[in-house]
Amino acid sequence: MDVRIVSSEEEGGKIALEMFKDQLAKNPASVFGLATGSSPEGFYREAVASDIDFTKATSINLDEYVGLDENNDQSYRYFMKDRLFDKKPFKKNYLPNGMADDLEAEVKNYDEIIRENPIDLQILGIGRNGHIGFNEPGTPTDITTHVVDLTPSTIEANARFFANEDEVPRQAISMGLGSIQKSKKIILFAYGEEKAKAIQGCIEGPVTTHVPASILQNLSDVTVIADNAATSLL
Ligand code: GLP
């Protein structure tokens, strides 16, 4: 893994922006795997401020809460429109539909979308417990899209975005670890000391389902963009 230690999210965002531009120079119709959460926000700010052109590109997001529609400002669809899509249009944006009546049918539908649009470059954040997307500790490494019961640790961590913990959805639809591992390139962002243990497990720990991000050690093209605090245990 290529570990790039940066002094700010702005610096990290600029590094990622160059990688996105390189990918688009190779193929304007690239497929980008996108993530929500605070970690990629520096990158989205840099992208919006730049001349990057996604109009021929496709995006596929990692995950979405079950039960929040696109008008709910905590839904990941709302987040993506607000941070990126309204300002930088793509040819096509895909996110799981957390409002689907039949979640199992939606899971199959999303797998089909991923199969038809192989991901060239995937960005990831990392949960405090080492989750990626919403693939919580213990998730099988070959799993495809699935409905997830969120762990108490993730509900607690994400409660900061909601009025109170009771309002945090208990389920999400997540791209699976099996699909994430098929991305040709991955960028993982991590900032702050609350990510230090997860980053240690991801980069130096054994490859184990207890730390889902540790599977990235098996891949050939992974860049970790992190600050001093997140890398303090390495
Ligand atoms: C959430 C998301 C993940 C994200 C993680 C970290 O649970 N499903 O995709 O990487 O939390 O979030 P943050 O970047 O806000 O710390």
Side-chain angles (χ1 to χ4, degrees):
M1 282 191 222
D2 183 16
V3 182
R4 308 280 299 265
I5 299 179
V6 295
S7 56
S8 67
E9 295 186 25
E10 184 186 338
E11 188 186 341
K14 285 188 179 11
I15 293 173
L17 181 63
E18 287 315 308
M19 293 173 70
F20 270 67
K21 284 188 166 175
D22 287 349
Q23 179 60 42
L24 284 168
K26 275 191 251 157
N27 179 11
S30 291
V31 179
F32 295 107
L34 299 181
T36 50
S38 50
S39 306
E41 288 206 84
F43 163 64
Y44 295 143
R45 281 192 295 271
E46 293 304 317
V48 166
S50 78
D51 60 357
I52 196 164
D53 179 3
F54 288 121
T55 53
K56 295 192 171 67
T58 295
S59 72
I60 303 189
N61 261 77
L62 278 173
D63 47 15
E64 177 61 285
Y65 287 118
V66 169
L68 300 191
D69 69 26
E70 65 183 298
N71 299 315
N72 186 311
D73 63 7
Q74 292 310 325
S75 74
Y76 287 165
R77 193 173 290 267
Y78 183 102
F79 176 104
M80 290 307 303
K81 279 166 61 90
D82 183 56
R83 306 306 199 279
L84 188 64
F85 301 156
D86 284 350
K87 293 150 193 152
K88 289 283 178 190
F90 283 64
K91 183 171 159 232
K92 185 80 194 157
N93 299 124
Y94 293 106
L95 282 99
N97 177 10
M99 296 300 289
D101 291 332
D102 183 344
L103 291 176
E104 281 315 313
E106 176 58 14
V107 157
K108 287 203 183 73
N109 174 47
Y110 211 61
D111 274 336
E112 190 59 24
I113 289 167
I114 297 167
R115 206 180 54 76
E116 282 171 5
N117 298 278
I119 296 171
D120 295 298
L121 173 57
Q122 171 75 53
I123 61 176
L124 298 173
I126 184 168
R128 295 188 304 197
N129 61 6
H131 75 240
I132 47 179
F134 272 126
N135 292 275
E136 299 279 18
T139 305
T141 56
D142 59 353
I143 199 165
T144 53
T145 306
H146 56 293
V147 177
V148 186
D149 292 327
L150 301 182
T151 63
S153 142
T154 298
I155 292 168
E156 188 206 315
N158 290 2
R160 68 190 193 277
F161 300 114
F162 292 83
N164 59 61
E165 210 173 293
D166 292 342
E167 291 196 9
V168 185
R170 273 21 190 186
Q171 285 189 311
I173 301 176
S174 183
M175 189 188 290
L177 294 172
S179 310
I180 293 171
Q181 290 176 91
K182 287 191 181 142
S183 308
K184 293 173 200 128
K185 257 182 208 297
I186 292 185
I187 301 173
L188 183 144
F189 297 104
Y191 303 110
E193 66 173 328
E194 69 275 16
K195 300 294 171 68
K197 217 169 172 307
I199 282 295
Q200 183 186 38
C202 166
I203 296 175
E204 291 181 345
V207 177
T208 163
T209 57
H210 297 305
V211 183
S214 65
I215 58 160
L216 301 179
Q217 290 177 36
N218 293 335
L219 308 184
S220 59
D221 196 339
V222 178
T223 302
V224 175
I225 298 176
D227 62 5
N228 276 313
T231 51
S232 58
L233 296 176
L234 297 181

